[in-house]
Amino acid sequence: MKAKIALLLLLTASAACMGTACQKQDGIKAKSYSRDGLLGLSDVNPNMPMSPTYHNYRADTQLMKDTLQPIPNITGSTINMNGPIATVRIKVRPDLTDEQVAAVQKEASEKLTHAMPRYTVKVSVSR
């Protein structure tokens, strides 16, 4: 009789454990690899040359120059990179008013920040 009671208690306890293990847990989601063809390696190593997110300073500088090119009244630019900080010096036409210079600086800063979100862009203007 004791064996039957012990077996019944063991079955009840195992059923309770299985029931709690199979419950859906709120807020916990299993993570999976991204579908980059490299089992998620491009997420872990964004500067791996095979990654679609691969960038270097030369490519980033060229993209910044291409972003500045269509902005009117800019006659030249110098871009310096120091880790995540991009310091951009723009040269504008000398006949612009202070308000126009401020507008050019704001437009350049907005466009560069949008084009290069991984950098903190600091824009200065000279005439």
Side-chain angles (χ1 to χ4, degrees):
M1 194 69 169
K2 288 184 181 184
K4 286 184 180 181
I5 293 175
L7 182 61
L8 184 60
L9 287 174
L10 182 65
L11 287 174
T12 305
S14 64
C17 288
M18 287 177 51
T20 57
C22 294
Q23 286 180 349
K24 182 179 178 184
Q25 296 176 351
D26 294 330
I28 297 175
K29 183 178 178 185
K31 293 185 178 182
S32 64
Y33 293 116
S34 64
R35 303 201 185 280
D36 60 358
L38 299 170
L39 295 176
L41 283 177
S42 63
D43 290 343
V44 178
N45 302 313
N47 284 328
M48 190 169 77
M50 297 293 289
S51 170
T53 61
Y54 176 69
H55 292 282
N56 55 34
Y57 286 132
R58 181 180 299 146
D60 289 347
T61 302
Q62 187 59 47
L63 181 60
M64 287 182 177
K65 286 186 180 283
D66 292 343
T67 302
L68 291 173
Q69 195 268 333
I71 300 174
N73 300 321
I74 294 180
T75 59
S77 64
T78 305
I79 299 171
N80 292 324
M81 305 278 203
N82 186 8
I85 299 171
T87 304
V88 181
R89 293 177 190 91
I90 350 179
K91 189 167 183 166
V92 295
R93 293 188 355 231
D95 61 332
L96 295 179
T97 65
D98 291 340
E99 292 82 21
Q100 290 172 323
V101 171
V104 168
Q105 181 179 8
K106 181 180 179 195
E107 182 179 1
S109 180
E110 287 174 353
K111 285 190 175 187
L112 287 172
T113 302
H114 180 71
M116 307 300 287
R118 68 184 158 276
Y119 289 102
T120 301
V121 180
K122 298 179 179 179
V123 178
S124 61
V125 179
S126 64
R127 295 181 193 196

